[in-house]
Amino acid sequence: STPPSGESEEELIFAKEMAAAKMERMGYSVGFRLCERLAQNRTFSASGKDPAMVAAAAQLEAVKFLCKEVWMEIFRKQIDKLQTNHRGVFVLKDLELRWLTRLPPNQEAARVTAIQLLAFPCGIIRGTLSNLGISAVVSCDFLADGQNMSACSFNIKIK
């Protein structure tokens, strides 16, 4: 799309980045509050002698809760695949994210829209984990080569 008169290409990019940041903050708020409600009577702790192993097990339980309970509440399905390297990195794969199923394949405009929309679930993940006492950086990417816009992965790096 061409920028409206008076706006440069840089200003347009900046406006889109600001919109994505706002979507991520809104997702954070939703994830934080939803986790408060869903995890009311739950504890995410593990027993053992090694404190690092206990922390890693508690993180894994928190991410499993996110994949099952939180995702089910928002998207009416669980995350399709959870992978971890047991060193604070988790990859959540959703092979058919409901919000992206109607986007047309192989169109750059649809890809840009999808990236902007994915800021919200990234915020939900970050907010949920934050409520559980886990500080993390969340990013997302598409799994397919543009054929299926609804297949995406969320990468979580525990700080």
Side-chain angles (χ1 to χ4, degrees), residues 23-112:
M23 288 285 288
E24 200 274 346
R25 287 192 307 273
M26 290 182 345
Y28 178 90
S29 176
V30 168
F32 195 91
R33 289 181 288 133
L34 183 62
C35 180
E36 189 76 28
R37 185 169 62 87
L38 294 176
Q40 253 177 351
N41 301 317
R42 295 186 61 138
T43 56
F44 299 96
S45 60
S47 59
K49 295 188 185 276
D50 183 12
M53 293 298 287
V54 170
Q59 289 171 354
L60 181 60
E61 287 303 310
V63 173
K64 283 183 184 177
F65 168 76
L66 169 73
C67 293
K68 294 178 182 179
E69 309 284 330
V70 175
W71 220 253
M72 180 66 83
E73 190 73 20
I74 296 171
F75 297 105
R76 297 190 199 125
K77 67 184 279 281
Q78 294 181 1
I79 281 285
D80 295 312
K81 191 172 189 180
L82 165 63
Q83 295 175 310
T84 181
N85 66 357
H86 298 287
R87 292 185 184 89
V89 176
F90 298 90
V91 179
L92 314 180
K93 294 185 178 180
D94 194 330
L95 302 178
E96 196 171 350
L97 189 66
R98 182 180 300 272
W99 295 347
L100 303 180
T101 52
R102 297 187 184 207
L103 289 176
N106 296 322
Q107 289 186 10
E108 187 59 29
R111 185 173 173 77
V112 170

Coordinates of all heavy atoms in Angstrom, one line a residue, residues 23-112:
M23 N -0.6 -4.3 20.4 CA -1.3 -5.6 20.4 C -0.7 -6.5 21.3 O -1.3 -7.3 22.1 CB -1.3 -6.2 19.0 CG -2.2 -5.5 18.0 SD -3.9 -5.9 18.2 CE -3.9 -7.6 17.6
E24 N 0.7 -6.5 21.4 CA 1.4 -7.4 22.3 C 1.1 -7.0 23.7 O 0.9 -7.9 24.6 CB 2.9 -7.3 22.0 CG 3.7 -8.5 22.5 CD 4.1 -8.4 24.0 OE1 4.1 -7.3 24.5 OE2 4.5 -9.4 24.5
R25 N 1.0 -5.7 24.0 CA 0.7 -5.3 25.4 C -0.7 -5.7 25.8 O -1.0 -6.1 26.9 CB 0.9 -3.8 25.6 CG 2.3 -3.4 25.6 CD 2.5 -1.9 26.0 NE 1.7 -1.0 25.3 CZ 2.1 -0.4 24.1 NH1 3.3 -0.7 23.6 NH2 1.4 0.5 23.5
M26 N -1.6 -5.6 24.9 CA -3.0 -6.0 25.1 C -3.1 -7.5 25.4 O -3.8 -8.0 26.3 CB -3.9 -5.6 24.0 CG -4.2 -4.1 23.9 SD -5.3 -3.5 22.6 CE -5.5 -4.7 21.5
G27 N -2.4 -8.3 24.6 CA -2.3 -9.7 24.8 C -1.7 -10.1 26.1 O -2.1 -11.0 26.8
Y28 N -0.6 -9.3 26.5 CA 0.0 -9.5 27.8 C -1.1 -9.4 29.0 O -1.2 -10.2 29.9 CB 1.1 -8.5 28.0 CG 1.8 -8.6 29.4 CD1 2.9 -9.5 29.5 CD2 1.4 -7.9 30.5 CE1 3.6 -9.6 30.8 CE2 2.0 -8.0 31.7 CZ 3.1 -8.8 31.8 OH 3.7 -8.9 33.1
S29 N -1.8 -8.3 28.9 CA -2.9 -8.0 29.9 C -3.9 -9.2 29.9 O -4.3 -9.6 31.0 CB -3.5 -6.7 29.6 OG -4.6 -6.4 30.5
V30 N -4.3 -9.6 28.7 CA -5.3 -10.7 28.7 C -4.7 -12.0 29.3 O -5.4 -12.6 30.1 CB -5.8 -10.9 27.2 CG1 -6.6 -12.2 27.1 CG2 -6.6 -9.7 26.8
G31 N -3.5 -12.3 28.9 CA -2.9 -13.5 29.4 C -2.7 -13.5 30.9 O -2.9 -14.5 31.6
F32 N -2.3 -12.3 31.4 CA -2.0 -12.2 32.8 C -3.3 -12.4 33.6 O -3.4 -13.2 34.5 CB -1.4 -10.8 33.1 CG -0.8 -10.7 34.5 CD1 0.5 -10.9 34.7 CD2 -1.6 -10.3 35.6 CE1 1.1 -10.8 35.9 CE2 -1.1 -10.2 36.8 CZ 0.3 -10.4 37.0
R33 N -4.4 -11.7 33.1 CA -5.7 -11.8 33.8 C -6.3 -13.2 33.7 O -6.9 -13.7 34.6 CB -6.6 -10.7 33.4 CG -6.1 -9.3 33.9 CD -7.0 -8.2 33.5 NE -6.9 -7.9 32.1 CZ -7.9 -7.7 31.2 NH1 -9.1 -7.7 31.7 NH2 -7.6 -7.5 30.0
L34 N -6.2 -13.8 32.5 CA -6.8 -15.1 32.3 C -6.1 -16.1 33.1 O -6.8 -17.0 33.7 CB -6.7 -15.5 30.8 CG -7.4 -16.8 30.4 CD1 -8.9 -16.8 30.7 CD2 -7.1 -17.0 28.9
C35 N -4.8 -16.0 33.2 CA -4.0 -17.0 34.0 C -4.5 -16.8 35.5 O -4.6 -17.8 36.2 CB -2.6 -16.7 33.9 SG -1.5 -17.8 34.9
E36 N -4.7 -15.6 35.9 CA -5.2 -15.4 37.3 C -6.4 -16.2 37.6 O -6.6 -16.8 38.6 CB -5.4 -13.9 37.5 CG -5.7 -13.5 38.9 CD -4.4 -13.4 39.7 OE1 -3.3 -13.2 39.2 OE2 -4.6 -13.6 41.0
R37 N -7.3 -16.2 36.6 CA -8.6 -16.9 36.8 C -8.4 -18.4 36.7 O -9.0 -19.2 37.5 CB -9.6 -16.4 35.7 CG -11.0 -17.0 35.9 CD -12.0 -16.3 35.1 NE -11.8 -16.4 33.6 CZ -12.2 -17.4 32.9 NH1 -12.8 -18.4 33.4 NH2 -11.9 -17.4 31.6
L38 N -7.7 -18.9 35.7 CA -7.6 -20.3 35.4 C -6.7 -21.0 36.4 O -6.9 -22.2 36.7 CB -7.0 -20.6 34.0 CG -7.9 -20.2 32.8 CD1 -7.2 -20.4 31.5 CD2 -9.2 -20.9 32.9
A39 N -5.7 -20.4 37.0 CA -4.7 -21.0 37.8 C -5.0 -20.7 39.3 O -4.1 -20.9 40.1 CB -3.3 -20.6 37.5
Q40 N -6.2 -20.4 39.6 CA -6.5 -20.0 41.0 C -6.1 -21.0 42.1 O -5.5 -20.7 43.0 CB -8.0 -19.8 41.1 CG -8.4 -18.3 41.3 CD -9.9 -18.1 41.3 OE1 -10.6 -19.0 41.1 NE2 -10.3 -16.9 41.6
N41 N -6.4 -22.2 41.8 CA -6.1 -23.3 42.8 C -5.0 -24.2 42.4 O -5.0 -25.4 42.8 CB -7.4 -24.1 43.1 CG -8.5 -23.2 43.6 OD1 -8.3 -22.3 44.4 ND2 -9.7 -23.4 43.1
R42 N -4.1 -23.8 41.6 CA -3.0 -24.6 41.1 C -1.7 -24.2 41.6 O -1.5 -23.0 41.8 CB -3.0 -24.6 39.6 CG -4.2 -25.3 39.0 CD -4.1 -25.4 37.5 NE -2.9 -26.2 37.2 CZ -3.0 -27.1 36.2 NH1 -4.0 -27.3 35.5 NH2 -1.9 -27.8 36.0
T43 N -0.8 -25.1 41.8 CA 0.6 -24.8 42.1 C 1.5 -25.4 41.1 O 1.2 -26.5 40.6 CB 1.0 -25.3 43.5 OG1 0.8 -26.7 43.6 CG2 0.2 -24.6 44.6
F44 N 2.5 -24.7 40.7 CA 3.5 -25.2 39.7 C 4.8 -25.3 40.4 O 5.7 -24.5 40.3 CB 3.6 -24.2 38.5 CG 2.3 -24.0 37.8 CD1 1.4 -23.0 38.1 CD2 1.8 -25.0 36.9 CE1 0.2 -22.8 37.5 CE2 0.6 -24.8 36.3 CZ -0.2 -23.8 36.6
S45 N 5.0 -26.4 41.1 CA 6.2 -26.7 41.8 C 6.6 -28.1 41.6 O 5.8 -29.0 41.3 CB 6.1 -26.3 43.3 OG 5.1 -27.1 43.9
A46 N 7.9 -28.4 41.8 CA 8.4 -29.8 41.7 C 9.3 -30.0 42.9 O 9.8 -29.1 43.5 CB 9.1 -29.9 40.4
S47 N 9.5 -31.3 43.2 CA 10.3 -31.6 44.3 C 11.6 -32.2 43.8 O 11.7 -32.8 42.7 CB 9.6 -32.6 45.3 OG 9.2 -33.7 44.6
G48 N 12.6 -32.1 44.6 CA 13.9 -32.6 44.2 C 15.0 -31.9 45.0 O 14.8 -30.9 45.7
K49 N 16.2 -32.4 44.9 CA 17.4 -31.8 45.6 C 18.0 -30.7 44.8 O 18.5 -29.7 45.4 CB 18.4 -32.9 46.0 CG 17.8 -33.9 46.9 CD 18.9 -34.8 47.4 CE 18.3 -35.9 48.3 NZ 18.1 -35.6 49.6
D50 N 18.2 -30.8 43.5 CA 18.9 -29.9 42.7 C 17.9 -28.7 42.4 O 16.9 -28.9 41.7 CB 19.4 -30.5 41.4 CG 20.2 -29.6 40.5 OD1 20.5 -28.5 41.0 OD2 20.4 -29.9 39.4
P51 N 18.3 -27.5 42.8 CA 17.4 -26.3 42.6 C 17.2 -26.0 41.1 O 16.1 -25.6 40.7 CB 18.1 -25.2 43.3 CG 19.1 -25.7 44.1 CD 19.4 -27.1 43.7
A52 N 18.2 -26.2 40.3 CA 18.0 -26.0 38.9 C 17.0 -26.9 38.2 O 16.2 -26.5 37.4 CB 19.4 -26.1 38.2
M53 N 17.1 -28.2 38.6 CA 16.1 -29.2 38.1 C 14.7 -28.9 38.6 O 13.7 -29.0 37.8 CB 16.5 -30.6 38.5 CG 17.8 -31.1 37.9 SD 17.7 -31.2 36.1 CE 16.7 -32.6 35.9
V54 N 14.6 -28.4 39.8 CA 13.2 -28.1 40.4 C 12.7 -26.9 39.6 O 11.5 -26.9 39.2 CB 13.3 -27.7 41.9 CG1 12.0 -27.1 42.4 CG2 13.7 -29.0 42.7
A55 N 13.5 -25.9 39.3 CA 13.0 -24.7 38.6 C 12.6 -25.1 37.1 O 11.6 -24.6 36.6 CB 14.1 -23.6 38.5
A56 N 13.4 -26.0 36.5 CA 13.1 -26.4 35.1 C 11.8 -27.2 35.1 O 11.0 -27.0 34.2 CB 14.3 -27.2 34.6
A57 N 11.6 -28.0 36.1 CA 10.4 -28.8 36.1 C 9.2 -27.9 36.3 O 8.1 -28.1 35.7 CB 10.5 -29.9 37.2
A58 N 9.3 -26.9 37.2 CA 8.2 -25.9 37.4 C 7.9 -25.1 36.1 O 6.8 -24.9 35.8 CB 8.6 -25.0 38.6
Q59 N 9.0 -24.7 35.4 CA 8.8 -24.0 34.2 C 8.0 -24.9 33.2 O 7.1 -24.4 32.5 CB 10.1 -23.6 33.6 CG 10.8 -22.5 34.3 CD 12.2 -22.2 33.8 OE1 12.7 -23.0 33.0 NE2 12.8 -21.2 34.4
L60 N 8.4 -26.2 33.1 CA 7.8 -27.1 32.1 C 6.3 -27.3 32.5 O 5.4 -27.2 31.6 CB 8.5 -28.4 32.1 CG 7.9 -29.5 31.2 CD1 8.0 -29.0 29.8 CD2 8.7 -30.8 31.4
E61 N 6.0 -27.4 33.8 CA 4.6 -27.5 34.2 C 3.8 -26.2 33.8 O 2.6 -26.3 33.4 CB 4.5 -27.8 35.7 CG 4.9 -29.2 36.1 CD 4.1 -30.2 35.4 OE1 2.8 -30.1 35.4 OE2 4.7 -31.1 34.8
A62 N 4.4 -25.1 34.0 CA 3.7 -23.8 33.7 C 3.5 -23.7 32.2 O 2.4 -23.3 31.7 CB 4.6 -22.6 34.1
V63 N 4.4 -24.2 31.3 CA 4.2 -24.1 29.9 C 3.2 -25.2 29.5 O 2.4 -24.9 28.6 CB 5.6 -24.3 29.2 CG1 5.4 -24.5 27.7 CG2 6.5 -23.2 29.4
K64 N 3.2 -26.3 30.1 CA 2.1 -27.3 29.8 C 0.7 -26.7 30.1 O -0.2 -27.0 29.4 CB 2.4 -28.6 30.6 CG 3.4 -29.5 30.1 CD 3.5 -30.7 31.0 CE 4.6 -31.7 30.6 NZ 4.7 -32.8 31.5
F65 N 0.6 -26.0 31.3 CA -0.6 -25.4 31.6 C -1.0 -24.4 30.6 O -2.2 -24.4 30.1 CB -0.4 -24.7 33.0 CG -1.5 -23.7 33.3 CD1 -2.8 -24.2 33.8 CD2 -1.4 -22.4 33.2 CE1 -3.8 -23.4 34.1 CE2 -2.4 -21.5 33.6 CZ -3.6 -22.0 34.0
L66 N -0.1 -23.6 30.1 CA -0.4 -22.7 29.0 C -0.9 -23.4 27.7 O -1.8 -23.0 27.1 CB 0.9 -21.9 28.7 CG 0.9 -21.0 27.4 CD1 0.0 -19.8 27.6 CD2 2.3 -20.6 27.0
C67 N -0.2 -24.5 27.4 CA -0.5 -25.2 26.1 C -1.9 -25.9 26.2 O -2.6 -26.0 25.2 CB 0.5 -26.3 25.9 SG 2.1 -25.6 25.4
K68 N -2.3 -26.3 27.4 CA -3.5 -27.1 27.6 C -4.7 -26.1 28.0 O -5.6 -25.9 27.2 CB -3.4 -28.2 28.6 CG -2.4 -29.3 28.1 CD -2.3 -30.3 29.2 CE -1.3 -31.4 28.7 NZ -1.1 -32.4 29.8
E69 N -4.6 -25.6 29.1 CA -5.7 -24.8 29.7 C -5.9 -23.5 29.1 O -7.0 -23.1 28.6 CB -5.4 -24.6 31.2 CG -5.1 -25.8 32.0 CD -6.3 -26.7 32.3 OE1 -7.4 -26.1 32.4 OE2 -6.1 -27.9 32.4
V70 N -4.9 -22.6 29.0 CA -5.0 -21.3 28.5 C -5.4 -21.3 27.0 O -6.3 -20.6 26.5 CB -3.7 -20.5 28.7 CG1 -3.8 -19.1 28.1 CG2 -3.5 -20.3 30.2
W71 N -4.6 -22.1 26.2 CA -4.9 -22.2 24.8 C -6.3 -22.7 24.5 O -7.0 -22.3 23.6 CB -3.8 -23.1 24.1 CG -3.4 -22.5 22.8 CD1 -3.7 -23.0 21.5 CD2 -2.5 -21.4 22.5 NE1 -3.1 -22.3 20.6 CE2 -2.4 -21.3 21.1 CE3 -1.9 -20.5 23.4 CZ2 -1.6 -20.3 20.6 CZ3 -1.2 -19.5 22.8 CH2 -1.0 -19.4 21.4
M72 N -6.8 -23.7 25.3 CA -8.1 -24.2 25.1 C -9.2 -23.1 25.4 O -10.1 -23.0 24.7 CB -8.3 -25.4 26.1 CG -9.7 -26.0 26.0 SD -10.0 -26.8 24.4 CE -9.2 -28.4 24.7
E73 N -8.9 -22.3 26.4 CA -9.8 -21.2 26.7 C -10.0 -20.2 25.6 O -11.0 -19.7 25.3 CB -9.4 -20.6 28.0 CG -10.4 -19.6 28.6 CD -11.6 -20.3 29.3 OE1 -11.5 -21.5 29.6 OE2 -12.6 -19.6 29.4
I74 N -8.9 -19.9 25.0 CA -8.8 -18.9 23.9 C -9.2 -19.4 22.6 O -10.0 -18.8 21.8 CB -7.5 -18.1 23.9 CG1 -7.2 -17.4 25.2 CG2 -7.4 -17.1 22.8 CD1 -5.9 -16.9 25.4
F75 N -8.5 -20.5 22.2 CA -8.7 -21.0 20.8 C -9.5 -22.3 20.6 O -9.6 -22.8 19.6 CB -7.3 -21.3 20.2 CG -6.4 -20.0 20.1 CD1 -5.4 -19.8 21.0 CD2 -6.7 -19.1 19.1 CE1 -4.6 -18.6 20.9 CE2 -5.9 -17.9 19.0 CZ -4.9 -17.7 19.9
R76 N -10.1 -22.8 21.7 CA -10.9 -24.0 21.7 C -10.1 -25.2 21.3 O -10.7 -26.1 20.7 CB -12.2 -23.8 20.9 CG -13.1 -22.7 21.4 CD -14.4 -22.8 20.7 NE -15.1 -21.5 20.9 CZ -15.5 -20.7 20.0 NH1 -15.4 -21.1 18.7 NH2 -16.1 -19.6 20.2
K77 N -8.8 -25.2 21.4 CA -8.0 -26.4 21.1 C -6.7 -26.2 21.9 O -6.3 -25.1 22.3 CB -7.7 -26.5 19.6 CG -6.9 -25.3 19.1 CD -6.7 -25.4 17.6 CE -5.7 -26.3 17.1 NZ -4.3 -26.1 17.1
Q78 N -6.0 -27.4 22.1 CA -4.7 -27.3 22.7 C -3.6 -27.0 21.7 O -3.8 -27.2 20.5 CB -4.4 -28.6 23.4 CG -5.3 -29.0 24.5 CD -5.0 -30.3 25.2 OE1 -4.0 -30.9 24.9 NE2 -5.7 -30.6 26.2
I79 N -2.5 -26.6 22.1 CA -1.3 -26.5 21.2 C -1.0 -27.9 20.6 O -1.1 -28.9 21.3 CB -0.1 -26.0 22.0 CG1 -0.2 -24.5 22.3 CG2 1.2 -26.3 21.4 CD1 0.2 -23.6 21.1
D80 N -0.7 -27.9 19.4 CA -0.4 -29.2 18.7 C 0.9 -29.9 19.1 O 0.9 -31.1 19.2 CB -0.5 -29.0 17.2 CG -1.8 -28.5 16.7 OD1 -2.8 -29.2 17.1 OD2 -1.9 -27.6 15.9
K81 N 1.9 -29.1 19.4 CA 3.2 -29.7 19.7 C 4.0 -28.8 20.6 O 4.1 -27.6 20.4 CB 4.0 -29.9 18.4 CG 5.2 -30.8 18.6 CD 5.7 -31.2 17.2 CE 6.8 -32.2 17.4 NZ 7.4 -32.6 16.1
L82 N 4.6 -29.4 21.7 CA 5.4 -28.6 22.6 C 6.8 -29.3 22.5 O 6.9 -30.5 22.7 CB 4.9 -28.7 24.0 CG 5.8 -28.3 25.1 CD1 6.3 -26.9 25.0 CD2 5.2 -28.6 26.5
Q83 N 7.8 -28.5 22.3 CA 9.2 -29.0 22.3 C 10.0 -28.1 23.2 O 9.8 -27.0 23.4 CB 9.8 -28.9 20.9 CG 9.1 -29.8 19.9 CD 9.7 -29.6 18.5 OE1 9.8 -28.4 18.0 NE2 10.0 -30.7 17.8
T84 N 11.0 -28.8 23.8 CA 11.9 -28.0 24.7 C 13.3 -28.6 24.6 O 13.5 -29.8 24.3 CB 11.4 -28.0 26.2 OG1 12.3 -27.3 27.0 CG2 11.3 -29.5 26.7
N85 N 14.3 -27.8 25.0 CA 15.7 -28.3 25.0 C 16.1 -28.5 26.5 O 17.2 -28.8 26.8 CB 16.7 -27.4 24.3 CG 16.8 -26.1 25.0 OD1 16.1 -25.8 26.0 ND2 17.7 -25.2 24.4
H86 N 15.2 -28.3 27.4 CA 15.4 -28.5 28.9 C 16.4 -27.5 29.4 O 17.0 -27.7 30.4 CB 15.7 -29.9 29.3 CG 14.7 -30.9 28.9 ND1 13.5 -31.0 29.7 CD2 14.6 -31.8 27.9 CE1 12.7 -31.9 29.1 NE2 13.4 -32.4 28.1
R87 N 16.6 -26.4 28.7 CA 17.5 -25.3 29.1 C 16.9 -24.0 29.0 O 17.5 -23.0 28.8 CB 18.8 -25.3 28.2 CG 19.7 -26.5 28.4 CD 20.9 -26.4 27.6 NE 21.7 -27.6 27.7 CZ 21.7 -28.6 26.9 NH1 20.8 -28.6 25.9 NH2 22.4 -29.7 27.0
G88 N 15.5 -24.0 29.1 CA 14.8 -22.7 29.2 C 14.3 -22.2 27.8 O 13.9 -21.1 27.7
V89 N 14.3 -23.1 26.8 CA 13.8 -22.7 25.5 C 12.6 -23.7 25.2 O 12.8 -24.9 25.3 CB 14.9 -22.8 24.4 CG1 14.2 -22.6 23.0 CG2 16.0 -21.8 24.7
F90 N 11.5 -23.1 24.9 CA 10.3 -23.9 24.5 C 9.8 -23.5 23.1 O 9.8 -22.3 22.8 CB 9.2 -23.7 25.5 CG 9.5 -24.2 26.9 CD1 10.1 -23.3 27.8 CD2 9.3 -25.5 27.3 CE1 10.5 -23.7 29.1 CE2 9.7 -25.9 28.6 CZ 10.2 -25.0 29.5
V91 N 9.3 -24.4 22.3 CA 8.7 -24.1 21.0 C 7.3 -24.7 21.0 O 7.2 -25.9 21.2 CB 9.6 -24.7 19.9 CG1 8.9 -24.4 18.5 CG2 11.0 -24.1 19.9
L92 N 6.3 -23.8 20.9 CA 4.9 -24.3 20.8 C 4.5 -24.2 19.4 O 4.7 -23.1 18.8 CB 4.1 -23.4 21.7 CG 4.5 -23.0 23.1 CD1 3.5 -22.1 23.8 CD2 4.8 -24.2 23.9
K93 N 4.0 -25.3 18.9 CA 3.5 -25.3 17.5 C 2.0 -25.4 17.4 O 1.4 -26.4 18.0 CB 4.2 -26.4 16.7 CG 5.7 -26.2 16.6 CD 6.4 -27.2 15.7 CE 7.9 -26.9 15.6 NZ 8.6 -27.8 14.8
D94 N 1.4 -24.5 16.7 CA 0.0 -24.6 16.4 C -0.2 -24.7 14.9 O 0.2 -23.8 14.2 CB -0.8 -23.3 16.9 CG -2.3 -23.5 17.0 OD1 -2.8 -24.3 16.1 OD2 -2.9 -22.9 17.8
L95 N -0.7 -25.9 14.5 CA -0.7 -26.1 13.0 C -1.9 -25.5 12.3 O -2.0 -25.5 11.1 CB -0.7 -27.7 12.8 CG 0.5 -28.4 13.4 CD1 0.5 -29.9 13.2 CD2 1.8 -27.8 12.9
E96 N -2.9 -25.0 13.1 CA -4.0 -24.3 12.5 C -4.6 -23.3 13.5 O -5.6 -23.5 14.2 CB -5.1 -25.3 12.2 CG -6.1 -24.8 11.2 CD -7.1 -25.8 10.6 OE1 -6.8 -27.0 10.8 OE2 -8.0 -25.4 10.0
L97 N -3.9 -22.2 13.6 CA -4.3 -21.1 14.5 C -5.6 -20.5 14.0 O -5.6 -20.0 12.9 CB -3.2 -20.1 14.7 CG -3.5 -19.0 15.7 CD1 -3.4 -19.6 17.1 CD2 -2.4 -17.9 15.6
R98 N -6.6 -20.6 14.7 CA -8.0 -20.2 14.3 C -8.1 -18.8 13.7 O -8.7 -18.6 12.7 CB -8.9 -20.3 15.5 CG -10.4 -19.9 15.3 CD -11.2 -20.1 16.5 NE -11.2 -21.4 17.1 CZ -12.0 -22.3 16.8 NH1 -12.9 -22.1 15.9 NH2 -11.9 -23.5 17.4
W99 N -7.3 -17.8 14.3 CA -7.4 -16.5 13.8 C -6.8 -16.3 12.4 O -7.0 -15.2 11.8 CB -6.7 -15.5 14.8 CG -7.4 -15.5 16.1 CD1 -8.7 -15.9 16.4 CD2 -6.9 -14.9 17.3 NE1 -8.9 -15.7 17.7 CE2 -7.9 -15.1 18.3 CE3 -5.7 -14.3 17.6 CZ2 -7.7 -14.7 19.6 CZ3 -5.5 -13.9 18.9 CH2 -6.5 -14.0 19.9
L100 N -6.0 -17.2 12.0 CA -5.3 -17.0 10.7 C -5.8 -17.9 9.6 O -5.2 -17.9 8.5 CB -3.8 -17.3 10.9 CG -3.1 -16.4 12.0 CD1 -1.6 -16.8 12.0 CD2 -3.2 -15.0 11.7
T101 N -6.8 -18.7 9.8 CA -7.2 -19.7 8.9 C -7.8 -19.1 7.6 O -7.7 -19.7 6.5 CB -8.2 -20.7 9.5 OG1 -9.3 -19.9 10.0 CG2 -7.6 -21.6 10.5
R102 N -8.3 -17.9 7.7 CA -9.0 -17.4 6.5 C -8.1 -16.4 5.7 O -8.5 -15.8 4.7 CB -10.3 -16.7 6.9 CG -11.2 -17.7 7.4 CD -12.6 -17.1 7.7 NE -13.4 -18.1 8.3 CZ -14.7 -18.2 8.2 NH1 -15.3 -17.2 7.6 NH2 -15.3 -19.1 8.8
L103 N -6.8 -16.3 6.1 CA -5.9 -15.4 5.3 C -5.5 -16.1 4.0 O -5.2 -17.3 4.0 CB -4.7 -15.1 6.1 CG -4.9 -14.1 7.3 CD1 -3.6 -14.0 8.1 CD2 -5.4 -12.8 6.8
P104 N -5.4 -15.4 2.9 CA -5.1 -16.1 1.7 C -3.6 -16.4 1.6 O -2.8 -15.7 2.1 CB -5.4 -15.0 0.6 CG -5.4 -13.7 1.4 CD -5.8 -14.0 2.8
P105 N -3.3 -17.6 1.1 CA -1.8 -18.0 1.0 C -1.1 -17.2 -0.1 O -1.7 -16.7 -1.0 CB -1.9 -19.5 0.7 CG -3.2 -19.6 -0.1 CD -4.1 -18.6 0.5
N106 N 0.2 -17.2 0.0 CA 1.1 -16.6 -1.0 C 0.9 -15.2 -1.3 O 1.0 -14.7 -2.4 CB 1.0 -17.4 -2.3 CG 1.6 -18.9 -2.1 OD1 2.5 -19.1 -1.4 ND2 0.9 -19.8 -2.8
Q107 N 0.5 -14.4 -0.3 CA 0.3 -13.0 -0.5 C 1.0 -12.2 0.6 O 0.8 -12.5 1.8 CB -1.2 -12.6 -0.4 CG -2.0 -13.0 -1.6 CD -3.4 -12.5 -1.6 OE1 -3.8 -11.6 -0.8 NE2 -4.2 -13.0 -2.5
E108 N 1.9 -11.3 0.2 CA 2.7 -10.6 1.1 C 1.9 -9.8 2.1 O 2.2 -9.7 3.3 CB 3.7 -9.7 0.4 CG 4.8 -9.0 1.3 CD 5.6 -10.0 2.1 OE1 5.8 -11.2 1.6 OE2 6.0 -9.6 3.2
A109 N 0.8 -9.2 1.6 CA -0.1 -8.4 2.5 C -0.7 -9.2 3.6 O -0.8 -8.8 4.7 CB -1.2 -7.7 1.7
A110 N -1.1 -10.5 3.2 CA -1.6 -11.4 4.2 C -0.6 -11.8 5.2 O -0.9 -11.9 6.4 CB -2.2 -12.6 3.5
R111 N 0.6 -12.0 4.8 CA 1.7 -12.3 5.7 C 2.0 -11.2 6.7 O 2.2 -11.4 7.9 CB 3.0 -12.6 4.9 CG 4.1 -13.1 5.7 CD 5.3 -13.6 4.8 NE 6.5 -13.9 5.6 CZ 6.7 -15.0 6.2 NH1 5.7 -15.9 6.2 NH2 7.8 -15.2 6.9
V112 N 2.0 -10.0 6.2 CA 2.2 -8.8 7.1 C 1.1 -8.7 8.1 O 1.3 -8.5 9.3 CB 2.3 -7.5 6.3 CG1 2.3 -6.3 7.2 CG2 3.6 -7.5 5.4

